[in-house]
Amino acid sequence: MDTLLIATQNRHKVGEMVELLAGLTVQVITLADVEPGWDIPETGLTFMENARQKAVAAAKKTGLLTLADDSGLAVDALQGEPGVHSKRFAPSDEQRIAKLLGLLEGVPAAQRSARFHCAVAIADPDAVLTEIEETVEGVILTAPRGEGGFGYDPVFEPVGYTLTLAEMSMEAKNAISHRGKALRRAADFLHGWLGPH
């Protein structure tokens, strides 16, 4: 059986990814399995640059087929911030949300549009095999709602829905989310790349 390395130490992300890649006949492992504590620096100016950096570095170091993603939130009223700094915006999810809501205090609902981006790169030790980008549009609420998800999910309400991503079931969230859409495309690519077993 082929091995697919997911280049992350983020256990929330791994849980979502394993579920979305469930149809693949691969053994899925993470950086925590092969190199505990190894965090690949994200120095790119775009989500895709960061995803590519992580996929290439991990594939070269381990010799394994590697999938890496970079994702984050871009808020129009903040000129696209936190963007690629979404994870580094503040030390914890609660602090990130508090900082975001503080910056948006007084901004009317009509001007609180935002989107989640997800960039996925798949590489082997020799080359980047494919790159995928997806988004989900929504608005930033004035207070968090819901216990599920992670990151900014409790304050992000997708367009056309009355629930935040944190109020949705994992299945419902994955059906519409930036990461769900990107990883379904990644799974399709990997099915073709790995071929029948």
Side-chain angles (χ1 to χ4, degrees):
M1 184 183 282
D2 290 292
T3 299
L4 175 67
L5 172 65
I6 296 179
T8 185
Q9 302 271 3
N10 183 325
R11 60 187 175 81
H12 295 295
K13 257 188 200 182
V14 171
E16 282 189 5
M17 288 180 168
V18 167
E19 190 150 316
L20 287 158
L21 298 170
L24 291 171
T25 51
V26 292
Q27 179 193 6
V28 176
I29 63 172
T30 70
L31 287 184
D33 298 313
V34 294
E35 193 80 29
W38 183 39
D39 245 342
I40 302 163
E42 297 176 11
T43 58
L45 299 178
T46 66
F47 295 110
M48 186 52 78
E49 283 179 18
N50 283 334
R52 188 186 307 125
Q53 242 173 38
K54 289 189 282 189
V56 168
K60 281 191 179 344
K61 182 163 185 162
T62 63
L64 295 171
L65 180 67
T66 300
L67 181 153
D69 92 305
D70 191 41
S71 49
L73 179 68
V75 180
D76 293 324
L78 302 178
Q79 290 72 54
E81 287 295 314
V84 292
H85 306 113
S86 292
K87 193 169 67 179
R88 302 183 289 281
F89 201 48
S92 70
D93 283 352
E94 292 77 15
Q95 289 166 298
R96 286 188 271 275
I97 287 172
K99 182 176 178 181
L100 177 67
L101 295 183
L103 290 170
L104 289 174
E105 199 165 335
V107 176
Q111 290 166 34
R112 296 173 78 95
S113 55
R115 68 211 45 80
F116 273 119
H117 288 261
C118 180
V120 169
I122 299 173
D124 65 15
D126 302 315
V128 175
L129 305 177
T130 192
E131 296 180 346
I132 297 161
E133 287 195 78
E134 288 286 354
T135 60
V136 59
E137 299 286 329
V139 294
I140 303 299
L141 303 181
T142 54
R145 289 199 329 245
E147 301 299 318
F150 63 97
Y152 300 93
D153 287 356
V155 291
F156 185 90
E157 185 179 277
V159 170
Y161 292 82
T162 55
L163 298 174
T164 67
L165 289 179
E167 293 176 299
M168 294 180 175
S169 68
M170 176 80 91
E171 190 177 34
K173 176 187 170 181
N174 285 342
I176 63 162
S177 77
H178 52 308
R179 190 173 294 113
K181 292 189 285 189
L183 286 171
R184 278 191 293 279
R185 288 176 57 195
D188 287 345
F189 170 82
L190 288 165
H191 273 294
W193 179 260
L194 296 166
H197 282 68

